[in-house]
Amino acid sequence: MGENMVQMEFFGGETGRDRARPSPPPIPPPMGTEPEPAMVRVAPGRHAWVPKDAATPPDEYVMCRWSKQEDGTYAPVPVAGRYVRLDSRTATLLGFPARAGEDGSERCRYDTILRLGRAGFVDVVRVAPNTILLDLDSWYRHLADCMDNPDRWEEGSEDRETYLKENGLGGWKRFC
């Protein structure tokens, strides 16, 4: 036996029965950062973040219509759906970060979201020049559909064909 090694059974220490008892596994150290959120393929070649609270997006703004009351006053009545203005900030939050443009400036492009709207996968509304609203409920429904069907955007799928055809991207044309 080497130095500092003692056969414990002879000196009243640990017995064979004690050694047979499994020791509890070590507790792992706490994570330094939160795990990254999951990504979902939302269109051909495009992925978006699935937020932790996907079912409860914030109600920062709401669209309303005016409803005339019996006493002659008007009260706002929320329109079904939760709309946000589609701009670079919103697109970045939805998983479409800014990219360097041809002139070197950073621009956030949300063309994919507009193409998804054109093909009917999400609801977008152009309410004024340079003002487009995205229905968040339709966006989260689209994310859920993409999670339920991971092969949705595969080559030859019906959804991919619709996306390409409605956006004039030519992938739907069959060549002889």
Side-chain angles (χ1 to χ4, degrees):
M1 284 204 207
E3 190 177 308
N4 294 333
M5 294 190 75
V6 178
Q7 197 168 3
M8 295 306 290
E9 290 108 11
F10 294 134
F11 299 100
E14 184 179 32
T15 65
R17 283 188 312 235
D18 294 332
R19 277 197 306 273
R21 206 172 337 146
S23 59
I27 297 172
M31 294 178 66
T33 61
E34 289 187 25
E36 298 242 352
M39 295 287 287
V40 174
R41 187 162 56 160
V42 295
R46 293 298 311 208
H47 290 76
W49 297 107
V50 177
K52 280 200 287 192
D53 300 17
T56 56
D59 290 326
E60 187 174 347
Y61 299 100
V62 65
M63 283 186 43
C64 293
R65 65 178 176 76
W66 290 107
S67 173
K68 189 170 185 178
Q69 304 298 301
E70 291 180 10
D71 63 359
T73 61
Y74 288 86
V77 176
V79 174
R82 289 175 276 193
Y83 291 87
V84 293
R85 183 175 182 180
L86 189 54
D87 57 14
S88 60
R89 180 176 155 260
T90 303
T92 300
L93 291 171
L94 294 176
F96 297 88
R99 295 187 195 153
E102 291 177 10
D103 59 357
S105 65
E106 292 254 328
R107 291 187 336 170
C108 185
R109 303 279 314 233
Y110 42 85
D111 296 344
T112 301
I113 298 172
L114 295 176
R115 285 192 292 269
L116 287 168
R118 201 173 296 123
F121 295 107
V122 297
D123 297 331
V124 293
V125 181
R126 186 178 301 271
V127 295
N130 299 317
T131 305
I132 300 169
L133 301 179
L134 169 66
D135 178 9
L136 285 179
D137 292 331
S138 73
W139 175 255
Y140 290 113
R141 185 174 50 250
H142 178 66
L143 286 178
D145 292 346
C146 291
M147 287 187 279
D148 290 343
N149 182 6
D151 298 329
R152 184 177 195 176
W153 301 109
E154 292 298 320
E155 202 63 49
S157 70
E158 186 178 330
D159 286 341
R160 184 182 180 103
E161 299 293 321
T162 300
Y163 178 88
L164 296 173
K165 182 177 181 180
E166 294 301 319
N167 288 289
L169 297 176
W172 54 276
K173 295 178 184 173
R174 298 287 182 228
F175 298 101
C176 298

